Amino acid sequence: MPVPWFLLSLALGRNPVVLSLERVVGPQDTARCSPGLSCHLWDGDVLCLPGSLESAPGPVLVPTRLQTELVLRCHEETDCDLCVRVAVHLAVHGYWGDPDKEEKFRRAADPELEEPRNVSLQAHVVLSFQAYPTAHCVLLEVQVPAALVQPGQSVGSVVFDCFEAALGAEVQIWSYTQPRYQKELNLTQQLPDCRGLEVQDNIQSCWALPWLNVSADGKDVRLVLDVSEEQRFGLSLYWNQAQGPIKPWWHSNLTGPQTITLNHTDLVPCLCIQVWPLEPDSVRTSICPFKEDPRAHRNLWRATRLQLLPPRGWRLEAPCSLPAEATLCWQALDGGPCLPLVPPLPRENVTVNKVLEFPLLKGHPNVCVQVSTWEKIQLQECLWADSLGPLKDDMLLVETRGPQDNGSLCALEPSGCTPLLSRASTRAARLGEQLLQDVQSGQCLQLWDNDLGALWACPMDKYIHQRWVLVWLACLLLAAVLFLLRLLKMNHVKAAARSRAALLLYSADDASFERLVGALASALCQLPLRVAVDLWSRRDLSAQGALAWFHAQRRQTLQEGGVVVLLFSPGAVALCREWLQDATSAPRAHGPHDAFAASLSCVLPDFLQGRAPGRYVGAYFDKLLPADAVPALFRSVPVFSLPSQLPDFLGTLQGPAAPRPRRLAERAEQVSRALQPALDSCFRPPGTGRGMGPEAGDRT
């Protein structure tokens, strides 16, 4: 069920909460005055020409204020038109002769000293009414008796009935006298449409108007048009921009009833809806229901963009007008807040979609534009960063010029504008004299200049280099000392720091055995060993192939003085027997990641030709494989049973860098504890499921 949209379930005229309008009967225009005045409406239209200003010869009547009221001019009970009633308030302007004498005359206590001039005033008051595309002017003749003539005082008003106008039109009304003694009064008014007045039963053009409800359903917005099934109507969505013409967004001719869904991301404050029946001279009704919607305001700022227009122009692009201000700011390289350049540069009200000019002589990557409301900064863009490169480590100097050519310089910093020749503890104060010399010698870039001051951007790179040169020298000296100390202890440091490489080869019998191999490799990495195993290099195996991966790992391991570990299992023993029984026949295919099967073509020649001792080490898990199952060819190198012979196995792997026996036993105990859970999962008694061990037989 749709829920009301923040007090909105707007029906365009279905149930308006408005006051009834007064009815004026008859087609004739009329005029009436306030008590004491006499007035007359001239027949026919007059020319709408105000003429030029003239000096008042004495007291004259002038319009001082305009008031309007909406009424209905009815020809029959249900045939009425909207009409604008206009009231013009009048006052006496000017004096008889010298204003000082007139004031004395008005305030005289004794009327016998000087009697007032017993003269009435008459004025021709013009009312000009414009509602696109028509204009209409009337002339009112007003006479004020002498008793009411008091300079500067209001004398009353004259009321004109009435100017007919279309529903929803914008009207402009002017009032002045002929001749004209002061600037004309003017008033602009937006007339309501059918939804804003109680006129549905009186104005025939409102009878066929489509009625529209706006409601929210979750994140989306629904436009529900309540019209008959056969009625055709037009629907338009547009952006009503205060600065510029209306910008259409979507338009369609439809047949009712209709429900149209808008995405909540399309809402902006100036999105308006206009609906009208597709009939000649039909009334169009418009509403703008999202002006106060917080989501629409958030969407507006998300859609707003700042654009740089070379050489010094910029533009704020947005679908709606924005109540915001723009200012330039300076963004330092250290990433602190962007420091506004106000003063000396002023803030400016933003006009969207209009090209504005920077008040600068030259651009700089550190100069940014901030667009802010009274709440917070909404947008900040360093528009020159793309064309002039990244931010620079420059110091911005603000020059202030006095009336007698005496100026002062300060550096813009987060703490404020620091005078160059001050005792502050900031970077600008420490380098004040040098920066002053840079400005005088022309090494700083002038960004802005006028009679009141200037802005300078001074490079700081050279000062940073000078400041840190001693620090770099000290660091280099310290590094040299540390290097000498390292040379003195090179042998010890090498043994402690460089761990021996170990390449672990195994047959992937099943997932449990792979987990056991992974646990062994992880435990060996905790020692000073660098372990390579295909289980951790599946991506490289897929890219290079198992044979190429093994060749590269074997060559690197042996070149670094490492060792290749052959981890025997029932599957590995079966593969070795295949190769040894029939070396001339091609071995059966194996998985793409089976490095053990691929490596036998290189491993077996090393054993057959006697190159294996010192390069290879064998091992097997005593619960998974009997000792006599390892082929005799591979017993030319040490073969260890795990975990019973872990200390000897670890000592052989670590080589000359192996720790003392006590320490070696502690490490073997740690490795044994790490292997036990994985070893238990591989070895299961018969009847508990598939497992590994002597009972499993050869994998052939």
Side-chain angles (χ1 to χ4, degrees):
M1 287 292 293
V3 297
W5 176 283
F6 64 87
L7 303 182
L8 270 179
S9 178
L10 294 181
L12 303 191
R14 178 61 62 109
N15 292 300
V17 181
V18 293
L19 297 176
S20 300
L21 299 183
E22 179 184 340
R23 291 168 173 263
V24 176
V25 180
Q28 297 298 323
D29 295 338
T30 60
R32 64 181 185 274
C33 303
S34 56
L37 306 183
S38 61
C39 54
H40 170 68
L41 174 63
W42 283 41
D43 295 332
D45 288 348
V46 297
L47 293 177
C48 301
L49 298 176
S52 57
L53 282 175
E54 297 183 12
S55 299
V60 292
L61 285 179
V62 293
T64 58
R65 186 161 59 95
L66 290 175
Q67 281 184 295
T68 60
E69 180 184 359
L70 296 180
V71 296
L72 290 178
R73 170 169 282 173
C74 298
H75 311 285
E76 295 179 3
E77 181 67 21
T78 59
D79 184 12
C80 301
D81 294 312
L82 191 64
C83 210
V84 180
R85 173 183 291 166
V86 182
V88 184
H89 294 263
L90 302 171
V92 178
H93 174 73
Y95 301 92
W96 292 112
D98 190 348
D100 293 337
K101 295 181 180 179
E102 183 69 21
E103 181 69 15
K104 293 178 182 179
F105 159 76
R106 189 176 65 83
R107 295 184 177 182
D110 188 355
E112 296 181 356
L113 296 178
E114 192 169 353
E115 295 183 358
R117 303 184 182 182
N118 188 15
V119 177
S120 62
L121 294 181
Q122 180 177 318
H124 289 165
V125 179
V126 177
L127 284 178
S128 174
F129 183 86
Q130 292 189 9
Y132 182 82
T134 62
H136 179 43
C137 288
V138 297
L139 181 62
L140 303 172
E141 183 178 303
V142 184
Q143 189 166 1
V144 180
L148 298 179
V149 177
Q150 295 292 336
Q153 298 296 315
S154 174
V155 296
S157 61
V158 58
V159 178
F160 171 75
D161 276 333
C162 58
F163 293 110
E164 292 186 11
L167 289 164
E170 182 182 82
V171 299
Q172 293 179 318
I173 305 171
W174 285 270
S175 178
Y176 50 88
T177 59
Q178 288 184 344
R180 186 163 62 94
Y181 300 115
Q182 66 176 20
K183 185 178 180 181
E184 63 270 18
L185 297 180
N186 66 83
L187 176 67
T188 301
Q189 184 174 358
Q190 181 71 44
L191 300 185
D193 48 32
C194 293
R195 66 189 172 92
L197 298 170
E198 193 177 282
V199 294
Q200 296 90 339
D201 298 332
N202 304 113
I203 299 181
Q204 296 180 2
S205 59
C206 292
W207 294 356
L209 187 68
W211 309 114
L212 173 67
N213 290 328
V214 182
S215 61
D217 186 8
K219 289 186 176 181
D220 296 329
V221 177
R222 289 186 177 182
L223 309 180
V224 181
L225 289 108
D226 183 14
V227 295
S228 62
E229 293 185 359
E230 300 300 326
Q231 182 177 351
R232 299 183 66 248
F233 61 91
L235 180 69
S236 176
L237 302 178
Y238 62 94
W239 290 325
N240 187 25
Q241 297 177 329
Q243 300 161 345
I246 290 176
K247 187 175 181 181
W249 181 48
W250 183 84
H251 170 80
S252 181
N253 294 333
L254 305 170
T255 302
Q258 290 282 344
T259 298
I260 299 171
T261 302
L262 299 179
N263 193 297
H264 71 99
T265 58
D266 295 329
L267 306 184
V268 289
C270 64
L271 180 61
C272 299
I273 307 164
Q274 188 177 77
V275 62
W276 66 96
L278 294 178
E279 298 175 358
D281 300 326
S282 60
V283 175
R284 296 194 176 203
T285 301
S286 299
I287 59 170
C288 303
F290 310 112
K291 291 181 180 180
E292 306 300 329
D293 183 9
R295 292 189 296 180
H297 284 272
R298 288 194 295 270
N299 292 339
L300 175 59
W301 282 111
R302 292 192 188 104
T304 302
R305 297 289 182 271
L306 280 169
Q307 182 183 10
L308 177 66
L309 302 173
R312 290 188 300 161
W314 67 283
R315 179 171 56 206
L316 185 68
E317 296 182 340
C320 305
S321 301
L322 288 168
E325 292 181 331
T327 185
L328 297 180
C329 64
W330 179 263
Q331 180 63 64
L333 183 62
D334 59 8
C338 197
L339 305 175
L341 302 182
V342 180
L345 299 182
R347 296 183 182 272
E348 294 186 7
N349 292 327
V350 176
T351 302
V352 299
N353 305 322
K354 179 181 179 181
V355 178
L356 304 174
E357 290 288 334
F358 288 113
L360 298 177
L361 299 176
K362 296 183 179 179
H364 192 282
N366 294 41
V367 175
C368 307
V369 179
Q370 282 183 348
V371 178
S372 59
T373 61
W374 63 273
E375 296 176 331
K376 63 177 181 178
I377 296 174
Q378 299 286 357
L379 286 176
Q380 178 177 310
E381 293 287 345
C382 299
L383 299 178
W384 278 291
D386 294 336
S387 59
L388 300 182
L391 299 179
K392 296 182 179 180
D393 190 15
D394 290 1
M395 181 70 71
L396 185 72
L397 303 184
V398 180
E399 179 182 357
T400 303
R401 296 168 182 166
Q404 299 179 353
D405 295 335
N406 54 342
S408 61
L409 280 170
C410 64
L412 194 62
E413 295 182 298
S415 58
C417 204
T418 306
L420 293 187
L421 303 179
S422 68
R423 297 182 180 180
S425 59
T426 63
R427 180 173 69 160
R430 289 192 297 268
L431 301 173
E433 294 184 1
Q434 294 93 321
L435 291 173
L436 186 58
Q437 293 175 2
D438 290 346
V439 173
Q440 295 172 349
S441 61
Q443 298 184 38
C444 299
L445 177 67
Q446 189 178 44
L447 303 180
W448 173 74
D449 182 40
N450 72 357
D451 296 337
L452 300 178
L455 295 176
W456 306 85
C458 299
M460 299 294 290
D461 296 342
K462 60 181 179 180
Y463 299 115
I464 294 176
H465 296 159
Q466 293 174 3
R467 180 179 177 183
W468 290 101
V469 64
L470 295 178
V471 177
W472 282 111
L473 289 176
C475 292
L476 291 175
L477 181 60
L478 179 61
V481 172
L482 294 176
F483 183 71
L484 291 175
L485 292 175
R486 185 179 181 187
L487 289 178
L488 294 176
K489 300 181 179 180
M490 178 63 72
N491 293 334
H492 177 71
V493 174
K494 257 189 176 180
R498 185 168 181 79
S499 55
R500 195 180 189 194
L503 174 60
L504 192 60
L505 296 178
Y506 70 99
S507 174
D509 290 8
D510 60 12
S512 299
F513 187 70
E514 281 193 306
R515 286 195 294 270
L516 180 58
V517 173
L520 176 62
S522 299
L524 294 179
C525 287
Q526 303 302 318
L527 310 176
L529 286 172
R530 291 179 288 114
V531 180
V533 62
D534 66 343
L535 190 63
W536 298 343
S537 305
R538 291 290 168 84
R539 181 177 296 178
D540 293 339
L541 260 73
S542 299
Q544 303 176 15
L547 187 60
W549 180 86
F550 167 74
H551 273 295
Q553 295 295 327
R554 173 179 171 275
R555 181 173 61 253
Q556 180 179 351
T557 301
L558 296 180
Q559 286 178 351
E560 296 177 355
V563 62
V564 179
V565 180
L566 299 177
L567 192 58
F568 291 99
S569 65
V573 170
L575 288 173
C576 292
R577 287 175 180 173
E578 288 183 18
W579 280 86
L580 293 174
Q581 288 174 2
D582 191 3
T584 59
S585 62
R588 59 189 176 88
H590 299 281
H593 305 316
D594 198 342
F596 186 85
S599 66
L600 288 178
S601 62
C602 297
V603 171
L604 288 177
D606 285 345
F607 280 89
L608 294 173
Q609 298 174 14
R611 298 194 302 268
R615 295 181 170 186
Y616 291 84
V617 171
Y620 64 93
F621 293 100
D622 46 19
K623 290 185 178 182
L624 303 179
L625 192 71
D628 57 358
V630 178
L633 176 65
F634 296 99
R635 294 189 178 277
S636 60
V637 298
V639 179
F640 300 97
S641 176
L642 304 180
S644 58
Q645 295 180 332
L646 262 175
D648 296 334
F649 176 64
L650 298 181
T652 302
L653 289 184
Q654 294 182 261
R660 295 179 181 180
R662 183 176 178 180
R663 177 62 175 160
L664 193 62
E666 293 176 356
R667 292 182 176 178
E669 182 64 25
Q670 295 175 359
V671 175
S672 179
R673 288 197 300 267
L675 289 177
Q676 196 60 46
L679 193 59
D680 292 342
S681 68
C682 284
F683 180 72
R684 295 186 180 90
T688 61
R690 181 171 180 257
M692 293 186 60
E695 299 83 355
D698 294 343
R699 193 184 65 174
T700 60

